[in-house]
Amino acid sequence: MAATLRVEPAGRCCWDTPVRISVRGLAPGQPVTLRASLRDERGARFRAHARYRADARGELDLARAPALGGSFAGLEPMGLLWALEPEAACQAWEPRDGEGSFPGIIDLFGSGGGLCEYRASLLAGHGFSVLALAYFRFEDLPEYLHDMHLEYFEEAVNFMLQHPKVKGPSIGLLGFSKGGDLCLSMASFLKGITATVVINSCVANTIVPLHYKDMVIPNLHSDPGRHKITEAGILSYMDVWDNPLEARNHQSLIPLEKAQGPFLFIVGLDDRSWRSNFYAQIASERLQAHGKERPQIICYPGTGHCIDPPYFPPSRASVHAVLGTAVIYGGEPSAHSRAQVDAWQQIQTFFHKHLNGKKSVKRSKI
């Protein structure tokens, strides 16, 4: 009997949905190598492989059989997806299956710029109306980050609050890296925001000054000369940034105590771009010093800077879209992948609780 590969659920499904992979019709104890590949929207190919051994019945089920080697090892049912690695060489999303209105979220990415829609599209599949918002390097927006104006983001908030598919009276914010400190500023100065999630972000305004009406928040001081180079020749920028608590940086700190709603900080403890855990603790101490609720902080060991939805291959290093050079982000592949699964659930639970009135049903397992 010829060997047959089965993937369940069959057909198309969202990237954050686990799939079950099995093989039947093998010889008992037969060595097997499974390979996965895909091309992204730019045509770049990603590959992963793992070696297994069939059981006594000639079957292989990745939910029960540990990988013996390859791109990963051990019991990792989704390893062929999260282990994918590259070969050498403003969009609004609405729930697909519902009438009426849904909790609204604005989604911001980091200093690479452009319009990133994959996270927004996946959240839309979980009952949210999401606006993926670019703020430079897209269409008629500036090519590079210069002085930024919070009024641009205020327009996006008002757009969402008035949208017929958005369930008011408020919305949530989700930001990663530079997009995270922008979300903190939006939550602190703009109305109509009652839930904010930031992923590996700073508590000070970074990179460029931020303007709002007659106010200017200077950017956190930095010294590019403090960068380090790994043994592999990849740049590490973590030491470039000044300590936000130093006197000359006090004006760059974002006044989180002005925000109307709670915060969730997602922190990778192996973040090689920012001192994200330190920044989250600064936020917690500042909020409590002003008599505000302590933020929820979830820390993930072995997890780097780029925390994506489940089963996305961990981005441990890549050529930065603006800097044009390879930058290290950190993270151990297996731990980082597990963190992405848990963080994705935590983000949805937080937003459902604070935007939709649903109680939290799961605590972090990590």
Side-chain angles (χ1 to χ4, degrees):
M1 180 174 65
T4 58
L5 174 69
R6 297 184 62 182
V7 179
E8 300 173 292
R12 299 172 65 89
C13 66
C14 291
W15 190 276
D16 62 343
T17 301
V19 296
R20 184 164 187 167
I21 302 172
S22 60
V23 184
R24 295 181 179 178
L26 301 167
Q30 178 180 338
V32 180
T33 299
L34 296 183
R35 302 179 187 275
S37 69
L38 63 81
R39 288 188 183 275
D40 68 10
E41 65 276 6
R42 296 174 181 167
R45 184 179 291 278
F46 291 70
R47 296 181 183 273
H49 74 282
R51 299 188 299 276
Y52 298 91
R53 188 173 298 277
D55 63 19
R57 296 177 297 178
E59 297 180 355
L60 176 65
D61 185 343
L62 269 58
R64 300 195 303 264
L68 305 178
S71 302
F72 57 93
L75 188 62
E76 299 285 354
M78 294 291 289
L80 287 170
L81 295 183
W82 64 251
L84 287 164
E85 292 186 326
E87 288 182 323
C90 165
Q91 175 68 36
W93 292 86
E94 301 171 1
R96 292 180 286 272
D97 58 351
E99 296 294 332
S101 58
F102 304 87
I105 299 171
I106 293 178
D107 185 18
L108 297 177
F109 272 75
S111 60
L115 179 64
C116 297
E117 301 176 90
Y118 62 89
R119 192 167 62 193
S121 66
L122 289 171
L123 279 172
H126 293 282
F128 299 98
S129 291
V130 189
L131 177 67
L133 184 63
Y135 51 96
F136 78 108
R137 291 190 70 241
F138 182 71
E139 294 186 348
D140 61 346
L141 293 172
E143 183 65 18
Y144 298 100
L145 279 174
H146 297 294
D147 287 8
M148 301 197 68
H149 294 267
L150 204 59
E151 285 84 354
Y152 171 76
F153 302 93
E154 188 172 35
E155 288 183 19
V157 172
N158 291 335
F159 168 80
M160 289 293 280
L161 290 173
Q162 297 167 15
H163 198 286
K165 283 290 186 180
V166 174
K167 175 184 177 182
S170 61
I171 63 168
L173 303 175
L174 173 59
F176 159 66
S177 195
K178 171 58 186 175
D181 73 63
L182 284 170
C183 285
L184 295 179
S185 294
M186 292 169 69
S188 300
F189 293 106
L190 305 182
K191 297 179 180 179
I193 298 164
T194 54
T196 303
V197 178
V198 294
I199 302 171
N200 285 330
S201 300
C202 188
V203 289
N205 178 53
T206 61
I207 305 179
V208 296
L210 180 66
H211 298 255
Y212 184 54
K213 298 180 179 178
D214 58 352
M215 173 199 70
V216 179
I217 301 181
N219 53 289
L220 178 68
H221 285 87
S222 62
D223 179 1
R226 293 200 296 257
H227 75 265
K228 295 180 180 178
I229 301 177
T230 69
E231 293 182 357
I234 302 174
L235 295 184
S236 172
Y237 277 88
M238 186 168 64
D239 293 330
V240 164
W241 310 102
D242 278 13
N243 184 339
L245 297 181
E246 293 176 352
R248 72 168 184 160
N249 290 306
H250 282 179
Q251 294 301 311
S252 69
L253 283 166
I254 299 165
L256 306 177
E257 65 277 4
K258 294 184 178 181
Q260 302 173 45
F263 294 96
L264 168 59
F265 286 81
I266 301 291
V267 173
L269 293 180
D270 191 35
D271 185 352
R272 303 286 292 277
S273 293
W274 304 96
R275 299 188 185 280
S276 300
N277 188 31
F278 175 55
Y279 299 152
Q281 297 305 321
I282 293 176
S284 180
E285 292 172 7
R286 182 179 184 117
L287 287 168
Q288 292 178 81
H290 285 83
K292 294 301 184 77
E293 179 183 352
R294 177 185 301 177
Q296 183 179 359
I297 301 174
I298 304 178
C299 298
Y300 295 99
T303 302
H305 186 63
C306 303
I307 301 178
D308 275 318
Y311 318 124
F312 276 64
S315 179
R316 290 175 285 168
S318 72
V319 176
H320 192 278
V322 173
L323 298 173
T325 188
V327 176
I328 189 167
Y329 300 123
E332 186 280 316
S334 182
H336 191 107
S337 180
R338 290 194 298 271
Q340 291 187 160
V341 174
D342 189 78
W344 189 238
Q345 177 62 50
Q346 298 297 328
I347 291 168
Q348 293 174 59
T349 298
F350 181 84
F351 281 134
H352 276 304
K353 176 182 179 181
H354 296 291
L355 298 178
N356 217 9
K358 293 184 178 179
K359 294 183 178 181
S360 175
V361 294
K362 289 188 178 182
R363 299 293 297 173
S364 173
K365 298 179 181 177
I366 298 181

